[in-house]
């Protein structure tokens, strides 16, 4: 089929538009990556525009010599791995029964779940609950309370409903297959894609969360990475000795300030790397998962 | 003698449902513990909560905390800021993913399309702390990219973070930058389910691609748009509180103090935590929200066929 001239112009304008969007999203990210590899002096003098100037790994070196950041990294990894495992198990356990149209308690339980999306106890009553449960300032508070998102249950449930044909269930039931067996042998193997998606969502949520740590944790050695990031990136404070350990001979305040600026850029990269590394591999799953979840939800 | 029929009936019911119930029981108790038990604590909004007395034992004071909140100078300010911030986000941010999705749907170069998707989805996964760190770096007066650009073009440096009037724009546009790609997914999926025969028929009739966008693509995704609009309008009182808290500094509280940050400050961050007062503000917020979503949904149901329930 031949394209008309107006169509050709339309496609061209459309591509230009998408290209502009691409640049708007990509440029700040490239800029930050470039800054993180540049010489501290070039960063503060504004010499960096697109590519690193006088490339160096100084920023990264300084970060990995900082004890706080290593503590935060280990803690965040621990919270993320434990939390995600627990959350995926709970979500799948909730989603499967709720996906079964022949399950007698499906509607009342679904109602109990969805109501919490619209109404909740609020900050203080939740805090009091945690305090009554003795969870304040424990590592468990970073893992357990966030371990079930009703939204993810709904997405997973919808996925089960739309990918597991009812005939399959009926046939297995005639063969005397119990619900447990069907779930283990048929439903789970068929839903690897959705499990990958919700695992990604939960992992990102755990890795990125800072607020529960802010209100529930007091000991610095339990802090997740995001809280240390908040101190450095937002509140602009850092242990002075962390900087003087750098390779440069730091005599004047300016050099020190430059190194601090550089460190922030490197820190942004280091903190986002784990998530951004996994994401492209899992992208094809999550687009599929989100689409199935949203389409018929 | 026990009623045999009832007994048989119950046994059959249990046989059929116990396995699924056993599966759901753990998540269900979880939801009840972490979402419903706190609702019991809501009563402290009507009491003078003291830790020694506990939730149940504290004295009732009726609507005192609500009245105190309505009378305080904060009331007008935080309500105004919350609504303004949400409306700004909604008006500026709601159409962007739709336009992006339509543009992506029209793109014929598959590789280019995939690249744009990969890149625009990515910022969604950056944490709020890092995002705000990026914003602060880029807008920084001395070393920031934007001020370098302004200075290179011969302008004066602007103190973006220190002037309250920029707060709303920074909040809204950083949010759009972060989420436009990800929010577009749902529209892309709606667009991909448009019946291709509609397009074929329109091509035979000589409709241009642009015409088909307006007469086929957009009408087909209107139900999705309406649902998302209802959800967004319904959560207008829920401002992205973690982000506001990070962006807040003493120079911009006039614009940046919203209901949820006030709850946090009164309840947990202050030296003299006022649990009851803070809970009362929270209830006010939840109730407004609840009625908003019900109201908006009712209107949507009256106007068209699409609604949440």
């Amino acid at each position: 089929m031949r394209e008309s001239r107006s169509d050709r112009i339309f496609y061209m304008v459309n591509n230009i538009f998408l290209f502009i969007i691409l640049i708007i999203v990509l440029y700040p990210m490239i800029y930050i990556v470039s800054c993180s590899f540049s010489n501290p002096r070039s960063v503060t003098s504004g010499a960096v525009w697109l590519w690193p100037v006088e490339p160096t790994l100084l920023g990264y070196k300084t970060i990995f010599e900082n004890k706080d950041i290593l503590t935060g990294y280990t803690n965040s990894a621990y919270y993320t791995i434990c939390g995600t495992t627990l959350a995926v198990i709970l979500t799948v356990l909730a989603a499967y029964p709720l996906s079964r149209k022949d399950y007698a308690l499906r509607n009342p339980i679904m109602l109990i779940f969805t109501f919490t999306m619209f109404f909740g106890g609020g900050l203080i009553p939740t805090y009091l609950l945690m305090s009554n449960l003795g969870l304040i300032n424990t590592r468990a508070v970073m893992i357990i309370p966030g371990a079930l998102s009703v939204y993810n249950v709904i997405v997973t449930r919808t996925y089960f409903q739309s990918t597991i044909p009812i005939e399959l269930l009926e046939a297995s039931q005639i063969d005397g297959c119990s619900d447990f067996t069907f779930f283990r042998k048929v439903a789970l193997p068929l839903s690897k894609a959705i499990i990958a998606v919700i695992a990604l969502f939960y992992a990102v949520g755990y890795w990125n969360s800072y607020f529960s740590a802010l209100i529930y944790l007091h000991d610095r050695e339990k802090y997740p990475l995001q809280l240390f990031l908040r101190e450095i990136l937002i509140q602009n404070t850092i242990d002075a000795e962390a900087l003087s350990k750098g390779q440069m001979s730091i005599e004047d305040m300016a050099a020190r300030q430059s190194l601090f600026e550089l460190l922030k850029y490197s820190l942004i990269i280091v903190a986002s790397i784990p998530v951004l590394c996994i994401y492209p591999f899992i992208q094809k799953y999550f687009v599929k998962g989100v689409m199935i979840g949203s389409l018929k939800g | 003698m026990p009623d045999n029929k009832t007994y048989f009936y119950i046994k059959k019911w249990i046989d059929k449902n116990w396995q699924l119930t056993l599966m759901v029981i753990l998540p269900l108790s979880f939801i009840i513990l972490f979402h419903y038990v706190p609702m019991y604590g809501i009563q402290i909004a009507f009491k003078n909560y003291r830790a020694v007395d506990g939730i149940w034992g504290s004295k009732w004071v009726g609507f005192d905390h609500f009245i105190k909140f309505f009378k305080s100078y904060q009331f007008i300010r935080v309500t105004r800021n919350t609504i303004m911030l949400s409306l700004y986000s909604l008006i500026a941010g709601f159409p962007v993913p739709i336009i992006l999705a339509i543009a992506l749907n029209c793109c014929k170069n598959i590789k280019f399309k995939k690249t744009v998707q990969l890149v625009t989805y990515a910022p969604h996964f950056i944490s709020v702390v890092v995002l705000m760190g990026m914003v602060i770096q880029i807008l920084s007066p001395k070393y920031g990219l934007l001020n370098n650009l302004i200075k290179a073009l011969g302008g004066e440096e602007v103190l973006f973070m220190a002037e309250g009037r920029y707060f709303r724009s920074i909040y809204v546009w950083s949010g759009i930058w972060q989420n436009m790609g990800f929010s577009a997914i749902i529209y892309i999926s709606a667009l991909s389910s448009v019946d291709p025969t509609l397009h074929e028929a329109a091509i035979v009739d000589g409709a241009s691609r642009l015409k088909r966008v307006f007469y086929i693509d957009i009408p087909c995704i209107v139900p999705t748009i309406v649902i998302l609009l209802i959800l967004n309008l319904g959560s207008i009182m829920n401002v992205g509180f973690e982000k506001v808290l990070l962006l807040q500094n003493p120079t911009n509280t006039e614009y940046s103090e919203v209901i949820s940050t006030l709850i946090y400050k009164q309840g947990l961050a202050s030296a003299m935590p006022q649990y009851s007062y803070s809970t009362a503000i929270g209830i006010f917020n939840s109730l407004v929200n609840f009625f908003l979503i019900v109201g908006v949904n009712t209107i949507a149901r009256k106007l068209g066929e699409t609604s949440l329930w």
Side-chain angles (χ1 to χ4, degrees), chain A residues 1 3-4 6-7 10-11 14-15 17-19 21-22 24-29 31-32 43-49 86 90 92-94 96-98 100 102-105 109 111-113 115-116 118-130 132-133 135 144-148 150 178-180 183 200-201 204 207-212 214-215 226 229-230 233-234 257 261 264-265 268 271-272 275-276 279-280 283 286-287 290-291 294-295, chain B residues 13 16-24 26-28 30-39 41-42 44 49 55 99-100 102-104 106-109 112 114-130 132-134 136-138 140 142-145 148-149 152 177 180 182 185-186 188-190 192-193 203 207-210 212-213 231 241-243 245-247 260 263-264 267-268 275-276 278-279 286-287 290 293 308-309:
Chain A
M1 187 194 64
E3 280 176 12
S4 68
S6 69
D7 271 5
F10 172 77
Y11 284 119
N14 190 42
N15 280 343
F17 170 75
L18 284 176
F19 188 72
I21 296 271
L22 184 71
I24 291 173
V25 177
L26 201 54
Y27 180 61
M29 296 200 271
Y31 173 76
I32 284 173
V43 172
T44 44
S45 66
V48 182
W49 289 105
L86 179 67
L90 282 177
V92 172
L93 282 181
Y96 181 67
L98 294 176
R100 286 274 297 266
D102 57 333
Y103 177 45
L105 297 174
I109 293 178
L111 190 70
I112 293 174
F113 272 64
F115 182 69
T116 62
F118 299 104
F119 196 78
L123 184 69
I124 305 298
T126 312
Y127 182 85
L128 292 178
L129 172 71
M130 299 302 163
N132 286 335
L133 293 174
L135 286 172
I144 297 172
L148 188 61
V150 174
S178 74
D179 288 330
F180 286 153
F183 173 67
L200 174 78
F201 284 165
V204 170
W207 183 264
N208 286 347
S209 85
Y210 84 94
F211 188 65
S212 47
L214 182 69
I215 55 181
Q226 301 294 333
L229 289 180
R230 176 171 168 267
L233 295 176
I234 315 283
Q257 185 60 37
E261 289 302 310
K264 288 185 191 168
Y265 288 107
I268 289 174
S272 316
V275 171
L276 291 181
Y279 147 74
Q283 193 215 8
F286 88 66
V287 171
V290 171
M291 281 182 182
S294 61
L295 212 63
Chain B
W13 192 92
K16 197 172 168 310
N17 292 302
W18 73 271
Q19 291 188 331
L20 293 175
T21 308
L22 195 64
M23 284 171 79
V24 84
L26 189 65
L28 184 65
F30 190 92
I31 288 282
I32 288 170
L33 177 61
F34 288 109
H35 292 268
Y36 283 89
V37 174
M39 288 184 203
I42 282 178
I44 65 168
Y49 177 77
I55 294 176
I99 296 168
L100 180 63
I102 291 172
L104 280 168
C106 291
C107 180
K108 295 211 298 193
N109 184 338
F112 179 56
K114 286 260 159 19
T115 316
V116 176
Q117 283 178 296
L118 185 76
V119 170
T120 51
Y121 297 166
H124 178 79
F125 297 99
I126 296 174
S127 78
V128 261
V129 181
V130 169
M132 289 306 109
M134 284 171 72
I136 291 170
Q137 285 312 98
I138 285 174
S140 138
K142 266 190 251 158
Y143 320 116
L145 175 66
N148 286 346
L149 201 66
W177 181 83
M180 65 177 165
F182 201 79
I185 294 182
I186 193 161
I188 295 172
S189 79
S192 68
S193 63
I203 292 169
S208 71
R209 189 67 186 92
L210 190 62
R212 286 189 278 135
V213 166
L231 283 174
F241 146 65
E242 301 199 340
K243 202 167 133 185
L245 201 64
L246 291 171
L247 269 180
S260 42
I263 296 172
Y264 168 68
L268 296 176
Y275 285 166
S276 289
S278 180
T279 309
S286 303
L287 281 182
F290 195 73
I293 197 155
L308 281 180
W309 61 83

Side-chain angles (χ1 to χ4, degrees), chain B:
Chain B
M1 184 170 156
D3 189 343
N4 246 336
K5 218 169 161 187
T6 321
Y7 172 78
F8 180 73
Y9 198 76
I10 292 173
K11 189 174 179 311
K12 205 181 141 200
W13 192 92
I14 291 175
D15 273 351
K16 197 172 168 310
N17 292 302
W18 73 271
Q19 291 188 331
L20 293 175
T21 308
L22 195 64
M23 284 171 79
V24 84
I25 202 87
L26 189 65
L28 184 65
S29 357
F30 190 92
I31 288 282
I32 288 170
L33 177 61
F34 288 109
H35 292 268
Y36 283 89
V37 174
M39 288 184 203
Y40 162 82
I42 282 178
Q43 56 178 290
I44 65 168
F46 306 95
K47 290 180 165 180
N48 247 339
Y49 177 77
R50 294 196 317 167
V52 281
D53 299 330
I55 294 176
W56 188 244
S58 299
K59 260 201 230 79
W60 290 96
V61 293
F63 286 90
D64 281 8
H65 297 296
F66 291 89
I67 294 165
K68 184 180 156 202
F69 174 56
F70 294 143
K71 279 188 179 157
S72 77
Y73 77 100
Q74 295 273 26
F75 172 64
I76 302 272
R77 191 163 89 169
V78 293
T79 313
R80 182 200 64 200
N81 283 343
T82 308
I83 292 173
M84 288 295 285
L85 206 55
S86 293
L87 278 183
Y88 187 179
S89 301
L90 190 64
I91 292 167
F94 191 74
V96 177
I98 302 177
I99 296 168
L100 180 63
I102 291 172
L104 280 168
N105 191 51
C106 291
C107 180
K108 295 211 298 193
N109 184 338
I110 301 295
K111 249 197 177 142
F112 179 56
K113 182 178 164 181
K114 286 260 159 19
T115 316
V116 176
Q117 283 178 296
L118 185 76
V119 170
T120 51
Y121 297 166
H124 178 79
F125 297 99
I126 296 174
S127 78
V128 261
V129 181
V130 169
L131 179 74
M132 289 306 109
M134 284 171 72
V135 167
I136 291 170
Q137 285 312 98
I138 285 174
L139 299 181
S140 138
K142 266 190 251 158
Y143 320 116
L145 175 66
L146 200 58
N147 271 314
N148 286 346
L149 201 66
I150 292 173
K151 278 182 268 184
L153 297 172
E156 291 264 315
E157 64 175 42
V158 186
L159 303 165
F160 289 103
M161 296 308 295
E163 277 188 53
R165 63 202 165 96
Y166 292 117
F167 168 79
R168 282 181 192 145
S169 296
I170 294 172
Y171 173 89
V172 168
W173 291 101
S174 64
I176 293 176
W177 181 83
Q178 185 176 28
N179 289 318
M180 65 177 165
F182 201 79
S183 317
I185 294 182
I186 193 161
Y187 299 110
I188 295 172
S189 79
L191 282 167
S192 68
S193 63
V194 171
D195 187 356
T197 53
L198 288 175
H199 280 286
E200 283 156 19
I203 292 169
V204 172
D205 288 346
S208 71
R209 189 67 186 92
L210 190 62
K211 279 244 163 74
R212 286 189 278 135
V213 166
F214 283 108
Y215 295 105
I216 299 176
D217 288 341
I218 293 181
C220 282
I221 60 170
V222 161
T224 314
I225 295 177
V226 172
I227 295 257
L228 286 177
L229 194 62
I230 297 174
L231 283 174
N232 277 304
L233 280 171
S235 56
I236 238 170
M237 302 294 275
N238 284 346
V239 171
F241 146 65
E242 301 199 340
K243 202 167 133 185
V244 176
L245 201 64
L246 291 171
L247 269 180
Q248 216 167 43
N249 61 43
T251 57
N252 64 19
T253 39
E254 178 63 30
Y255 296 88
S256 66
E257 194 77 281
V258 293
I259 297 178
S260 42
T261 54
L262 185 69
I263 296 172
Y264 168 68
K265 284 182 183 168
Q266 298 287 345
L268 296 176
S270 94
M272 295 235 299
Q274 298 172 284
Y275 285 166
S276 289
Y277 181 51
S278 180
T279 309
I281 306 174
I283 290 184
F284 165 72
N285 198 17
S286 303
L287 281 182
V288 173
N289 233 335
F290 195 73
F291 287 116
L292 262 176
I293 197 155
V294 173
V296 173
N297 193 56
T298 314
I299 295 171
R301 205 167 39 188
K302 287 224 169 98
L303 291 181
E305 287 149 26
T306 328
S307 69
L308 281 180
W309 61 83

